[in-house]
Amino acid sequence: MSIEIKDLYHTYQVGTPYETHALQKINLDIAEGEFIGLIGHTGSGKSTLVQHLNGLLKPSQGQITIDGVDISQKGIKLKEIRKKVGLVFQYPEHQLFEETVLKDVSFGPQNLGLSVSEIDKRVRNALEVVNLDYLEIKDQSPFNISGGQKRRVAIAGVLAMEPKYLVLDEPTAGLDPRGRDEILAQIKELHRRLKITIILVSHSMDDVAKMADRLIVMHDGEVELNGTPREVFQKSEILKAIGLGVPTVSALLYSLKAKGFEVRTDLLNMEEAKEEIIKVLRMRRGKNA
Amino acid sequence: MIEIRNLTHKYRMGNNKELTAVNNLSLKIAKGEFVAVLGHNGSGKSTLAKHLNALLLPTEGKVIVNGLDTSDAKELWQIRQQVGMVFQNPDNQLIATTVEEDVAFGPENLGILPEKIRQRVDEALNIVGMADFKTRAPHLLSGGQKQRVAIAGIIAMRPQYLVLDEPTAMLDPSGREEVIFTIRKLNKEEGLTIVHITHFMEEAVYADRVVVMEAGEIVLEGKPREVFSQVSVLKKLHLDVPAITELAYLLNKEIPGFPRDIMTIEEMVVALCP
């Protein structure tokens, strides 16, 4: 099963002088179990696109099919779609509203009309996944915990819906390096252990390079590049032209190569870069000897 | 000069407990300096910053700004005029309906003559590169633009010190670049003293001095090069090391004598292709 997007267009404020084409001719397939990094400049259409995936926005034109169901047709039960596709917005902690963490995380599953025992099970699981101690945190006010904890509670609220597909819009924005690493590790875990399909919207090339199987790069409402991180980061010219740049490691390897230091340029982390640089250094020494 | 002498700040928590956010910290910030303060959430960075213009007052110790004691209520206006602050969320800092009115708000409150205000507003907007936007509505600007307007609002008050508390945390990469460019320019060309609090190590590379905080104390201090070459210490503190410095560190482990204090791509290229 999968998400299929066919010829999707979205226009804001149609028929007014402010008419904006936020999305144009988007065609994408996202298979179950994939880990997708969705990147693009502010205003490139990323957020508009992800809001289509659970029916928050309706296409102006085109079709979105989730597990075989066309969600843009009339009379579709959006509740069913939202059970499948969980959406974590930017700064999701702004949406916390209940008196206690327990109530907040339970809110979604309660609306699904599940039994009390099932809700309880899901809330415990969701809090465990985001690495929060159920007993310690459940009765606390979600407004009285640290920023990183708030964010994790908000994510747990979406996880408690047990979505098959999880879209996270800039989940690490505004967090410190420790908070960022924790959230990213948990997302990786969700993908690996629970086999949830992940669509991670990010500005950080370094983060997506480390995590995603496939990258979708958006620009001006269209899909500009679509491929594995290695493939995408080879197109440094295009990435630079649309104001995105490449991960630090790629930028370094390109600079080295330009200086005649014959390294591969399709490496994704500093560990790989180190191996490659040492290999080249050894070869050079061999030649000189 | 700003002089922080044995500063301790304790927050009172609900349950009769106290939280020591800054613990017996001493630091001097010279005029014209660019100081970056690093540390993860809860390390006391923001608490320290809020002492620099008397938004918070010391529980113990003193903060002296150009000879003025921040605990002396009479000096408050003087101090706030000399030390301007920019916060993380640009949306919380803009109040007016147009960019120029927003920038004029500070100088108006200082009781400056209207024609002088006009001059200061234009000048401030020019410095941050937002002059073309002066009649626009702030809420329609990008994050980076909003933050530059917030900075203009501060520099229109002609402070000597600019304290920025994670000004780029909520911005996208291009917004971040705009703001960093502006901060560096203010320091180099306008001679403003900068105290820049950030999580992003790449931003701290430009500072004259880096101060690393942990549990309310200063744990590392020095030139960016000196501080960043302490890769293992920074990792232990859950801080990032600039990616290039990390590579230098990895190479140094394999190739004895390889320089460990490399901070930028250009420097790395020079080290490998002499």
Side-chain angles (χ1 to χ4, degrees):
Chain A
M1 301 308 259
S2 63
I3 298 179
E4 285 162 42
I5 301 168
K6 249 170 96 184
D7 281 323
L8 174 65
Y9 285 74
H10 191 89
T11 312
Y12 285 115
Q13 312 200 43
V14 184
T16 74
Y18 302 106
E19 194 173 281
T20 333
H21 299 282
L23 293 176
Q24 298 190 68
K25 46 181 192 261
I26 306 278
N27 282 291
L28 285 173
D29 282 331
I30 295 164
E32 220 179 302
E34 270 197 289
F35 193 132
I36 306 268
L38 180 60
I39 40 188
H41 221 263
T42 307
S44 62
K46 304 177 307 245
S47 295
T48 304
L49 175 62
V50 296
Q51 288 178 58
H52 278 84
L53 299 180
N54 71 350
L56 280 177
L57 288 177
K58 294 254 179 227
S60 301
Q61 221 186 95
Q63 210 178 34
I64 295 161
T65 314
I66 291 172
D67 291 351
V69 180
D70 176 359
I71 69 163
S72 30
Q73 62 185 325
K74 286 219 170 86
I76 192 81
K77 283 211 177 88
L78 284 171
K79 212 173 192 175
E80 292 305 307
I81 303 304
R82 298 204 175 132
K83 254 199 298 198
K84 274 195 183 152
V85 184
L87 185 51
V88 177
F89 286 99
Q90 270 184 48
Y91 301 99
E93 61 276 18
H94 294 172
Q95 293 166 59
L96 297 169
F97 70 102
E98 275 285 11
E99 290 160 29
T100 67
V101 167
L102 178 64
K103 283 188 189 169
D104 209 291
V105 179
S106 308
F107 182 79
Q110 252 162 13
N111 279 329
L112 296 179
L114 301 168
S115 70
V116 177
S117 63
E118 174 67 16
I119 294 172
D120 180 65
K121 194 189 91 195
R122 285 189 176 200
V123 172
R124 282 170 190 267
N125 281 345
L127 287 171
E128 193 203 313
V129 172
V130 297
N131 222 348
L132 289 170
D133 188 302
Y134 174 79
L135 289 175
E136 214 173 273
I137 200 124
K138 74 179 171 78
D139 296 322
Q140 295 201 42
S141 158
F143 302 101
N144 231 347
I145 52 183
S146 79
Q149 286 176 323
K150 281 184 193 168
R151 177 132 339 154
R152 284 185 275 160
V153 168
I155 294 176
V158 175
L159 291 177
M161 306 281 281
E162 300 196 344
K164 237 170 103 180
Y165 303 96
L166 182 64
V167 185
L168 302 113
D169 195 353
E170 294 271 352
T172 62
L175 295 180
D176 68 357
R178 185 207 299 223
R180 179 201 64 208
D181 289 347
E182 278 172 10
I183 296 270
L184 291 179
Q186 283 153 13
I187 295 170
K188 211 163 196 173
E189 203 50 23
L190 285 172
H191 178 247
R192 202 183 57 87
R193 198 157 56 94
L194 303 176
K195 312 273 181 257
I196 297 178
T197 308
I198 304 277
I199 299 166
L200 177 69
V201 180
S202 179
H203 278 130
S204 163
M205 293 293 169
D206 288 289
D207 287 351
V208 290
K210 270 183 247 164
M211 313 227 349
D213 311 321
R214 179 153 69 104
L215 297 184
I216 295 168
V217 180
M218 294 195 60
H219 178 58
D220 268 349
E222 297 183 35
V223 173
E224 182 81 31
L225 295 169
N226 181 357
T228 64
R230 269 178 225 281
E231 287 162 7
V232 167
F233 294 136
Q234 290 288 297
K235 318 257 186 197
S236 65
E237 295 305 316
I238 298 178
L239 290 168
K240 268 185 213 143
I242 61 179
L244 281 174
V246 292
T248 317
V249 61
S250 314
L252 170 71
L253 295 168
Y254 282 117
S255 301
L256 284 173
K257 196 162 182 173
K259 281 274 179 187
F261 195 88
E262 279 304 318
V263 280
R264 282 172 58 177
T265 52
D266 63 343
L267 307 172
L268 291 176
N269 60 52
M270 284 302 171
E271 204 44 62
E272 288 179 11
K274 178 202 80 178
E275 296 297 329
E276 178 72 9
I277 288 170
I278 284 175
K279 206 174 89 194
V280 174
L281 286 174
R282 291 221 169 99
M283 270 167 50
R284 286 194 162 184
R285 208 170 297 159
K287 261 184 217 159
N288 291 343
Chain B
M1 180 164 77
I2 299 182
E3 215 182 331
I4 300 157
R5 287 188 211 143
N6 302 100
L7 172 67
T8 295
H9 191 89
K10 292 179 181 166
Y11 289 105
R12 216 176 287 164
M13 308 297 277
N15 40 10
N16 271 338
K17 278 187 206 150
E18 283 182 334
L19 177 87
T20 306
V22 173
N23 189 12
N24 193 23
L25 182 148
S26 297
L27 182 68
K28 282 183 191 169
I29 297 160
K31 268 203 90 178
E33 225 187 340
F34 186 154
V35 178
V37 181
L38 303 174
H40 59 71
N41 290 342
S43 60
K45 311 182 299 279
S46 295
T47 303
L48 172 66
K50 287 181 184 140
H51 278 85
L52 302 181
N53 69 349
L55 282 177
L56 289 176
L57 296 176
T59 310
E60 287 162 42
K62 289 251 172 262
V63 178
I64 310 287
V65 176
N66 286 348
L68 308 172
D69 185 339
T70 62
S71 322
D72 187 347
K74 289 199 306 292
E75 312 287 12
L76 209 59
W77 279 80
Q78 275 282 348
I79 290 169
R80 297 243 168 103
Q81 202 182 327
Q82 290 177 23
V83 185
M85 250 184 116
V86 174
F87 296 94
Q88 192 184 96
N89 190 341
D91 292 320
N92 296 347
Q93 298 173 79
L94 305 179
I95 36 124
T97 48
T98 68
V99 165
E100 58 182 0
E101 279 173 33
D102 200 279
V103 177
F105 182 79
E108 272 169 6
N109 276 308
L110 296 179
I112 291 166
L113 293 173
E115 54 270 31
K116 291 265 180 203
I117 294 180
R118 173 83 264 164
Q119 195 191 330
R120 284 197 182 193
V121 168
D122 288 343
E123 199 183 283
L125 285 171
N126 268 327
I127 292 173
V128 301
M130 287 297 290
D132 292 344
F133 295 81
K134 64 182 176 187
T135 56
R136 302 275 278 271
H139 71 278
L140 295 176
L141 302 175
S142 75
Q145 291 170 336
K146 282 180 194 168
Q147 206 59 309
R148 285 189 283 152
V149 172
I151 293 174
I154 300 296
I155 56 180
M157 297 175 68
R158 303 257 169 91
Q160 294 170 24
Y161 303 90
L162 183 61
V163 181
L164 303 109
D165 191 356
E166 295 190 36
T168 61
M170 297 177 84
L171 305 182
D172 68 2
S174 55
R176 195 174 295 161
E177 248 171 62
E178 287 169 25
V179 170
I180 292 304
F181 177 81
T182 307
I183 298 173
R184 292 181 69 190
K185 185 172 154 198
L186 287 171
N187 179 249
K188 293 260 141 25
E189 292 173 20
E190 309 293 324
L192 235 72
T193 309
I194 305 282
V195 179
H196 180 198
I197 296 175
T198 182
H199 292 316
F200 297 106
M201 305 300 144
E202 282 78 7
E203 297 179 356
V205 166
Y206 304 118
D208 299 320
R209 184 153 60 115
V210 176
V211 171
V212 181
M213 288 187 65
E214 168 77 7
E217 296 177 20
I218 294 176
V219 286
L220 278 175
E221 191 184 345
K223 293 214 168 69
R225 210 172 283 288
E226 295 160 11
V227 169
F228 291 136
S229 59
Q230 316 241 15
V231 173
S232 54
V233 180
L234 290 169
K235 291 219 154 164
K236 230 179 264 160
L237 295 169
H238 294 279
L239 290 170
D240 281 347
V241 177
I244 294 293
T245 310
E246 182 166 7
L247 177 64
Y249 174 77
L250 291 172
L251 286 170
N252 171 277
K253 278 197 201 161
E254 310 261 342
I255 308 164
F258 191 85
R260 266 172 43 175
D261 59 351
I262 294 178
M263 297 195 300
T264 65
I265 289 178
E266 292 71 41
E267 291 173 9
M268 180 60 87
V269 171
V270 171
L272 286 169
C273 319

